[in-house]
Amino acid sequence: MNRRHSAAAAITLVCALAVLAAPVQALAAPAPPAPEQPPKSGDAENSEASGTSGKKNLEEVRAKIDDLYRKAGAATDAYNLAEERSKKQSGEIVKLAQAIVEGQAKIAELKSRAGAQAREQYRNAGLPPGAQLMLSGDPQLFLDGISRAHQGQQAAKGVLGELNRTQEDLETYTQDASTNWTKLEASRVKQAKAKKKINEQIAAAKKLESQLEKKERARLLQLEQQAEYKSQTAWLSSGALKEINRGASASGKKAVAFATSQIGKPYKWGAVGPASYDCSGLTSQAWAAAGHPIPRTSQEQWRQLPHVAVKDMRPGDLVIYFGDATHVGMYIGDGAIVHAPRPGRDVTITGAGSMEILGVVRPDK
């Protein structure tokens, strides 16, 4: 049995176990989820004690936690983008600083040359070269010197012209450096705000989870898997998977190999490996390993990379999720993606349709 058939069989088995407590999620051919058990007496009290109202059930808690992590994901993308811009602006400032130093050195050298010419004219009693030749009384010297005098005049004009241009360039470099510095500070402010928001959302989600009993946390995972199963089943029922599973490109195979080799490593916002990843950190590093650097964030991946139809998707393509493009996974075939889900979860395989698909991009198109 070849690797593709083995993978398909493994995915089918995983899907059949999706509603158990195992951490693997439903994929292309999931088994129906286990029926929800009727609430036991005292569940309302447990819910009350866990910080939720009596009217809220565990499904509402799951939805709230999911929403908090979604917001944290959006803030993470904002943080990553601000960080990328900060790096770019810092690099520009360094280049401009080098240009300013070089410009200052060039101005000093040009001023030195202009000063030498002025001193030469002073030594000749301030007379222009043509007048000096006329007063020499030597016709041959006059004729021979005309050309040299003209060259000297042109050289003097050239020095002054170059000095003016260099001074103008220096002013431009200084203005550009100031502009980039302002942008850098703005990016740093955005980073700080995004970081604060990320930590607040994650802390709120963790607080909700920590208030649940052990059996409720197990049930929460089950509900999470059931929600993914429902979305994946609806996606498959739409016929989206028909005629998918075409072969990956050579680069796509390398990207998939890298991404799948990270399975089991923890999610960490802002991380690009090798010990942990966030969603776009995983996909950007996978394609970098394949020799095709791509934008760092899921939003920039969606904005800058070529779009392809879902029906034309092949392994290695990136599936962008949610209306704000704040999550991304890599399609690996057989209706599945590999992705870094959220804080508290590890890099794993799940159904490509288990979340709201915005679209698909192809890094090596």
Side-chain angles (χ1 to χ4, degrees):
M1 182 178 294
N2 60 34
R3 291 180 64 186
R4 175 173 291 280
H5 290 162
S6 298
I11 288 172
T12 302
L13 179 59
V14 168
C15 295
L17 299 175
V19 295
L20 300 179
V24 182
Q25 300 169 324
L27 299 178
E36 191 168 339
Q37 298 298 319
K40 297 179 181 179
S41 61
D43 279 354
E45 288 82 0
N46 288 336
S47 179
E48 193 77 31
S50 68
T52 62
S53 69
K55 294 181 180 180
K56 284 188 177 180
N57 57 29
L58 199 56
E59 173 58 33
E60 290 174 317
V61 174
R62 185 204 66 79
K64 177 62 177 175
I65 290 173
D66 186 60
D67 181 62
L68 287 168
Y69 280 125
R70 277 283 318 280
K71 290 177 179 176
T76 297
D77 225 43
Y79 176 90
N80 290 336
L81 183 58
E83 184 178 44
E84 285 296 293
R85 287 176 176 170
S86 291
K87 289 179 182 178
K88 181 179 179 180
Q89 286 147 6
S90 294
E92 289 296 323
I93 289 172
V94 170
K95 290 179 182 178
L96 288 167
Q98 292 172 340
I100 288 171
V101 170
E102 291 171 1
Q104 289 172 334
K106 188 173 182 180
I107 285 175
E109 189 268 335
L110 290 169
K111 285 183 176 179
S112 177
R113 284 167 57 187
Q117 291 174 348
R119 288 191 295 274
E120 178 65 24
Q121 186 174 3
Y122 177 78
R123 282 195 294 271
N124 291 321
L127 294 173
Q132 295 172 31
L133 291 170
M134 289 289 291
L135 294 173
S136 69
D138 187 336
Q140 186 60 46
L141 180 61
F142 175 79
L143 293 174
D144 292 341
I146 285 294
S147 178
R148 289 195 301 272
H150 178 71
Q151 291 174 355
Q153 290 172 346
Q154 292 299 111
K157 289 180 180 178
V159 169
L160 292 176
E162 190 173 0
L163 180 59
N164 288 333
R165 287 192 299 272
T166 303
Q167 287 175 327
E168 289 173 359
D169 289 343
L170 195 58
E171 289 176 4
T172 300
Y173 295 151
T174 302
Q175 291 173 358
D176 288 349
S178 177
T179 299
N180 275 278
W181 185 262
T182 301
K183 290 180 179 178
L184 177 61
E185 289 304 303
S187 292
R188 286 173 175 167
V189 169
K190 288 180 180 178
Q191 275 183 276
K193 289 181 178 179
K195 184 175 182 179
K196 181 181 178 182
K197 187 172 183 179
I198 293 166
N199 289 330
E200 287 175 349
Q201 303 292 350
I202 292 176
K206 286 183 175 179
K207 182 178 180 180
L208 275 177
E209 288 183 284
S210 69
Q211 291 172 338
L212 298 173
E213 298 290 338
K214 184 177 180 180
K215 63 180 181 180
E216 289 179 315
R217 288 197 294 273
R219 179 61 179 151
L220 188 69
L221 177 59
Q222 192 177 52
L223 289 173
E224 182 180 303
Q225 293 169 338
Q226 287 176 338
E228 291 180 354
Y229 159 81
K230 183 177 180 181
S231 295
Q232 175 73 350
T233 300
W235 182 67
L236 293 175
S237 299
S238 72
L241 194 59
K242 186 178 180 181
E243 297 181 1
I244 294 182
N245 297 328
R246 57 187 49 81
S249 65
S251 297
K253 290 177 182 178
K254 291 179 182 178
V256 169
F258 180 94
T260 52
S261 70
Q262 310 309 309
I263 290 173
K265 293 184 178 181
Y267 177 102
K268 182 179 179 182
W269 69 264
V272 291
S276 56
Y277 297 88
D278 62 19
C279 66
S280 57
L282 176 65
T283 54
S284 62
Q285 289 304 299
W287 272 101
H292 282 268
I294 62 174
R296 166 67 178 87
T297 70
S298 58
Q299 291 178 334
E300 289 302 293
Q301 288 169 5
W302 173 246
R303 188 176 71 85
Q304 295 186 35
L305 298 178
H307 292 202
V308 297
V310 172
K311 65 182 181 64
D312 295 327
M313 186 163 59
R314 71 186 187 193
D317 289 347
L318 305 183
V319 186
I320 309 296
Y321 292 97
F322 309 118
D324 53 1
T326 51
H327 191 69
V328 60
M330 180 179 291
Y331 187 66
I332 60 173
D334 297 312
I337 61 165
V338 59
H339 73 146
R342 65 168 177 80
R345 298 288 185 264
D346 298 333
V347 175
T348 189
I349 294 173
T350 192
S354 60
M355 295 167 283
E356 175 196 343
I357 295 177
L358 176 62
V360 178
V361 296
R362 180 167 296 164
D364 60 342
K365 185 174 180 181

